[in-house]
Amino acid sequence: MARPTIRDISRVTGLSTYTISQALRGADGVSEDSRARVLAAANDIGYIPNRAAQDLRRTNRDSVGLITASTSNSYYLDLIGGIQSTVQSLAWTVIIADVAVDGHYDAEQEDRTVRRLIEARVAGVISTLTLSKANTELLSKWDIPIVFVDSSPPAEAPELPSVTTDNYQASMQVGGHLAGHGYKTWLFLAYPAIWSTRVEREHGLRDAAASADAGLVVVESANDAVSAGQALKSYLDTATAVPDVLIAGNNPMLLGALEHLQLRGLSIPRDIAVVGYDEFAWSNLIQPPLTLLNERSGEIGQQAARTLAEIILAQDAAEKRGESSMPAYRPDHQLQVGAELIVRQSCGCGPVGHHSFTPQPTIPSAKGR
Amino acid sequence: MARPTIRDISRVTGLSTYTISQALRGADGVSEDSRARVLAAANDIGYIPNRAAQDLRRTNRDSVGLITASTSNSYYLDLIGGIQSTVQSLAWTVIIADVAVDGHYDAEQEDRTVRRLIEARVAGVISTLTLSKANTELLSKWDIPIVFVDSSPPAEAPELPSVTTDNYQASMQVGGHLAGHGYKTWLFLAYPAIWSTRVEREHGLRDAAASADAGLVVVESANDAVSAGQALKSYLDTATAVPDVLIAGNNPMLLGALEHLQLRGLSIPRDIAVVGYDEFAWSNLIQPPLTLLNERSGEIGQQAARTLAEIILAQDAAEKRGESSMPAYRPDHQLQVGAELIVRQSCGCGPVGHHSFTPQPTIPSAKGR
DNA sequence: GAGTGTCAAATAAACGTTTAGCTCGAGCGG
DNA sequence: CCGCTCGAGCTAAACGTTTATTTGACACTC
């Protein structure tokens, strides 16, 4: 028997397919005796249900999609972990879909990916990037709830849920620390703005620079280390002076920057200080140890999954009552999670004891922006 | 219209579902006129096919499963990339399934995962670890071909295809280099042997140590940085002397080891030299820059996917001819890919110019082991 | 004008489950 | 002994596609 079906079990046990189905998934209406026979037979012939047939027939959907751009950014691994852990407790599964084609974001790939998730009839979507207007509308047409994670909802649909680091506050914190060092020329090496965090980070840095009377230059490159290195090179080649500090927008940017600074023979933090945005495993082993912002990505992932689950369950309940099957979003579905700066030495702080850092009054965080 | 089906398009256009189906996927037997009407209508009402229904009805399967343990080991990201790129060109999709539950391999999770892949009726499986006898048999009962990647087939089924780094040769290479430095006491910090590469690496190191008249100690820990650090600590706490060189079995081991050595205040390579097994992005920025073995994981992934695709296509063809639907494996489905040592400074080689390294005759690689 | 071939399109039967609705007996109270 | 309930199980109709087979219209040939 190459690919046994429920009917094969039926044949073997002499029970109807109904009974088999009930017995297999532990529903009642089946005697203990029959259930045992069914399970034995199933195990015996190596039966494994056909997911496609189940999905087709069942009404309740039990998977959610996660849209990601360049997973290779190790920051996302924690995020995924957080999502998985929450979703697994509901016995759902996560479909991870990367919209980057060899490392670069690709708009058509975004379209294909959203389509694929709808084809799979996912119950909901978590997206790490702001989706296009068309895709947001498509998902909403299919009544599929979306939660943005570490990215903001598109401008056309600002009411959509999101869970993010408080990037503005975080950037103010970074900026405050740099101000404390007395740095006056800041260079922000940034990734493109399809990742909406870029905008918030820049905004926070700009405000911090202003209140510290420092100058901020923004250099943008594609979201990978090689491009970042090249962008930095072009900038430094033409700049009149090396900036006091380089702020890397994320880890690929940081990697590219460090490689280029090493190549150029600039010493950190003597010639130029460096700070970055994502804590990662090796940061303390790099020379000098890196001062980084620690985003609590695992926690963010969990929160996002919880929010999505809540919306889906409410939606199912409403549908069961015969009400609208549109997902219902609430204002408290928009969450911000704090982040803290991990101060090591690349910012100019010395090993414990000998630092050239003057604490400054904390810049008040802007409320309700 | 909340969730439009093919019948809705049928209703709108006045054509039968047959015609819609043909038109949508570009088959012929449909006039250009009708096709245009169908596509317009589909686009208009936002129709997206139901994957479950397609999968159920279609005979040809078009997804493959990838079994992984702890994806967070960044080494796998390239591997996955290589597989994706090959598989995408066939318009298939990859289902990635991690059998680690919070970072640790879990046997039950392996069983669940294999089941899940069979439920999805995948056309084939690529596994990064040696599967249990039961799971191998289960897959073979369902006529699902398996290719092992960076791991060997289980002892019970040695004929199964595999694509691996030539770990023995690679370890001999590592060992040869260490011998050239004149190191006499080697410490191999290893992960558990469910990853079969561990065995081959140890074997190669052992032979290299023997022929260099050096002593090899193996310390094993769970496959994560924290456990590795602890294992190293326990060993060093009781050892009479610090070994000449530490060989980290993979990146989590390396990370744990470096953290612990830093904590202990041992200087690399003065007090102890260090080499590792997987090249990664930050390796050149660590102090001192790390000497690592560069496995060509992208290439390995591509090869594995190509091999699997070949087997699946042959299987489909055979089935179409009414022959056996069992996958046919050939001896040339077992491949080994070379690796080269990237020499930096953690092994004791100085910056270009001042090294204390004496080249040694290359240890001949054992043929046909 | 009968036979033949071609093309577009329709019909209806799958695919492997789940599930609403029904049947059948047994048990039980009156 | 009647009517009722209840549990165990059956039958058959879904779910949304694909596809083997059939139909019908039209053109072409002898």
Side-chain angles (χ1 to χ4, degrees):
Chain A
M1 198 155 347
R3 273 154 209 175
T5 76
I6 245 185
R7 251 182 282 272
D8 294 313
I9 307 186
S10 166
R11 207 163 300 136
V12 171
T13 58
L15 294 162
S16 76
T17 61
Y18 164 82
T19 310
I20 311 298
S21 175
Q22 294 293 92
L24 282 178
R25 79 208 129 83
D28 48 42
V30 182
S31 68
E32 275 317 309
D33 187 52
S34 305
R35 187 189 305 281
R37 264 167 63 216
V38 169
L39 293 180
N43 192 56
D44 200 43
I45 67 180
Y47 168 80
I48 291 182
N50 183 324
R51 199 51 139 76
Q54 292 183 322
D55 283 353
L56 178 57
R57 186 55 234 258
R58 285 184 175 151
T59 44
N60 58 332
R61 306 141 301 154
D62 64 350
S63 63
V64 303
L66 172 63
I67 298 178
T68 263
S70 57
T71 322
S72 64
N73 185 338
S74 72
Y75 158 78
Y76 287 114
L77 294 173
D78 287 342
L79 193 72
I80 294 174
I83 292 172
Q84 294 270 22
S85 76
T86 302
V87 157
Q88 258 165 20
S89 64
L90 289 159
W92 293 352
T93 63
V94 181
I95 302 177
I96 298 173
D98 201 301
V99 298
V101 28
D102 46 54
H104 288 272
Y105 167 81
D106 183 89
E108 276 184 46
Q109 179 76 358
E110 179 185 318
D111 297 348
R112 271 195 298 273
T113 298
V114 169
R115 243 186 100 85
R116 239 185 58 212
L117 293 178
I118 301 181
E119 284 181 1
R121 299 294 188 265
V122 291
V125 164
I126 297 179
S127 176
T128 62
L129 49 86
T130 303
L131 298 174
S132 73
K133 181 156 178 285
N135 284 327
T136 314
E137 284 171 357
L138 191 56
L139 286 165
S140 116
K141 176 177 174 47
W142 282 83
D143 293 337
I144 298 174
I146 319 176
V147 171
F148 291 94
V149 72
D150 223 55
S151 59
S152 56
E156 304 83 31
E159 76 286 2
L160 292 180
S162 64
V163 181
T164 60
T165 292
D166 188 343
N167 278 292
Y168 181 85
Q169 177 271 331
S171 294
M172 291 289 271
Q173 203 176 333
V174 171
H177 188 83
L178 300 182
H181 276 287
Y183 299 136
K184 290 299 176 192
T185 53
W186 303 5
L187 175 62
F188 181 42
L189 187 55
Y191 45 94
I194 21 158
W195 288 271
S196 62
T197 50
R198 139 74 193 271
V199 177
E200 300 157 22
R201 287 176 180 183
E202 180 175 340
H203 183 194
L205 286 174
R206 203 170 282 293
D207 287 2
S211 78
D213 209 19
L216 178 72
V217 173
V218 178
V219 170
E220 174 172 324
S221 88
N223 196 1
D224 66 280
V226 174
S227 310
Q230 282 162 355
L232 179 57
K233 177 177 193 312
S234 325
Y235 175 76
L236 291 180
D237 281 350
T238 60
T240 54
V242 174
D244 294 337
V245 59
L246 181 144
I247 304 149
N250 63 15
N251 273 350
M253 301 286 114
L254 181 60
L255 175 57
L258 291 179
E259 282 172 344
H260 180 66
L261 293 179
Q262 190 177 58
L263 202 71
R264 204 171 250 269
L266 291 175
S267 151
I268 304 167
R270 210 186 27 161
D271 301 327
I272 181 170
V274 170
V275 298
Y277 267 90
D278 302 317
E279 165 69 338
F280 67 105
W282 305 87
S283 57
N284 202 23
L285 296 165
I286 307 258
Q287 208 49 253
L290 300 169
T291 292
L292 297 173
L293 195 77
N294 185 24
E295 298 193 66
R296 302 199 291 249
S297 43
E299 195 180 318
I300 290 181
Q302 285 184 17
Q303 256 324 325
R306 264 201 289 273
T307 302
L308 184 62
E310 195 185 308
I311 295 170
I312 292 172
L313 294 176
Q315 186 187 22
D316 282 358
E319 204 158 353
K320 204 153 286 171
R321 289 197 306 274
E323 294 171 20
S324 154
S325 59
M326 274 179 52
Y329 300 121
R330 294 203 316 266
D332 66 302
H333 286 147
Q334 304 209 343
L335 295 171
Q336 295 210 321
V337 174
E340 57 277 347
L341 191 65
I342 300 179
V343 177
R344 298 201 184 89
Q345 298 166 34
S346 67
C347 59
C349 287
V352 188
H354 25 127
H355 50 73
S356 64
F357 177 73
T358 317
Q360 290 240 329
T362 310
I363 298 166
S365 114
K367 281 267 161 133
R369 59 191 162 89
Chain B
M1 197 154 349
R3 274 154 209 175
T5 74
I6 245 184
R7 252 182 284 271
D8 293 313
I9 306 186
S10 166
R11 205 164 302 136
V12 171
T13 58
L15 294 161
S16 75
T17 61
Y18 163 81
T19 309
I20 312 297
S21 174
Q22 295 293 92
L24 283 178
R25 79 209 130 82
D28 48 42
V30 181
S31 68
E32 274 318 307
D33 187 50
S34 305
R35 185 187 307 280
R37 264 167 64 216
V38 169
L39 293 180
N43 192 57
D44 201 42
I45 67 181
Y47 168 79
I48 291 183
N50 182 323
R51 199 52 139 75
Q54 292 183 321
D55 282 353
L56 178 58
R57 185 57 234 257
R58 285 186 174 149
T59 44
N60 58 332
R61 306 141 301 155
D62 63 351
S63 63
V64 302
L66 172 63
I67 298 178
T68 263
S70 59
T71 320
S72 65
N73 184 338
S74 72
Y75 158 79
Y76 288 114
L77 294 173
D78 287 342
L79 193 71
I80 294 173
I83 293 172
Q84 295 269 23
S85 76
T86 302
V87 158
Q88 257 164 22
S89 64
L90 289 160
W92 293 352
T93 63
V94 182
I95 302 176
I96 298 172
D98 202 301
V99 298
V101 27
D102 46 53
H104 287 272
Y105 167 81
D106 183 87
E108 276 184 46
Q109 180 75 359
E110 179 186 317
D111 297 348
R112 271 195 298 274
T113 298
V114 169
R115 241 186 102 85
R116 240 186 58 213
L117 293 178
I118 300 181
E119 284 182 0
R121 300 293 188 264
V122 291
V125 164
I126 297 179
S127 177
T128 61
L129 48 84
T130 303
L131 297 174
S132 73
K133 182 157 177 284
N135 283 326
T136 314
E137 284 170 358
L138 191 56
L139 286 165
S140 115
K141 176 180 174 47
W142 282 84
D143 294 337
I144 298 174
I146 319 175
V147 171
F148 290 93
V149 71
D150 224 54
S151 60
S152 56
E156 304 83 32
E159 76 287 0
L160 292 181
S162 64
V163 181
T164 61
T165 293
D166 189 342
N167 278 291
Y168 180 85
Q169 178 270 332
S171 294
M172 290 289 271
Q173 203 177 333
V174 171
H177 188 83
L178 300 182
H181 276 288
Y183 299 137
K184 290 298 176 192
T185 54
W186 304 5
L187 174 62
F188 181 42
L189 187 55
Y191 45 93
I194 21 159
W195 289 272
S196 61
T197 50
R198 140 73 193 271
V199 177
E200 300 157 22
R201 287 175 180 183
E202 180 176 341
H203 183 195
L205 287 173
R206 203 170 282 293
D207 287 2
S211 78
D213 208 18
L216 178 72
V217 173
V218 178
V219 169
E220 173 171 323
S221 89
N223 196 2
D224 66 278
V226 175
S227 309
Q230 282 163 354
L232 179 58
K233 176 176 193 315
S234 325
Y235 175 76
L236 292 179
D237 282 350
T238 60
T240 53
V242 173
D244 294 338
V245 59
L246 181 146
I247 304 148
N250 63 16
N251 273 349
M253 301 287 113
L254 180 60
L255 175 57
L258 291 179
E259 283 172 345
H260 180 66
L261 293 179
Q262 191 176 58
L263 202 70
R264 200 172 254 268
L266 290 176
S267 149
I268 303 168
R270 212 188 23 163
D271 300 328
I272 181 171
V274 169
V275 298
Y277 267 92
D278 302 318
E279 166 69 340
F280 66 105
W282 305 87
S283 57
N284 202 24
L285 295 165
I286 307 258
Q287 207 50 254
L290 300 169
T291 293
L292 296 173
L293 195 77
N294 185 25
E295 297 196 64
R296 302 197 290 239
S297 44
E299 193 180 319
I300 290 179
Q302 284 184 17
Q303 255 325 322
R306 262 201 289 273
T307 303
L308 184 62
E310 194 185 310
I311 295 170
I312 291 172
L313 294 175
Q315 186 186 23
D316 281 358
E319 204 158 351
K320 204 153 283 170
R321 287 196 307 273
E323 296 169 18
S324 153
S325 60
M326 276 180 51
Y329 299 121
R330 293 203 316 266
D332 66 304
H333 286 147
Q334 304 210 343
L335 295 171
Q336 294 211 322
V337 173
E340 57 276 349
L341 191 65
I342 301 180
V343 177
R344 298 201 185 88
Q345 298 166 35
S346 66
C347 58
C349 288
V352 187
H354 25 128
H355 50 73
S356 65
F357 176 73
T358 316
Q360 289 239 330
T362 309
I363 297 167
S365 116
K367 280 270 162 132
R369 60 192 161 90

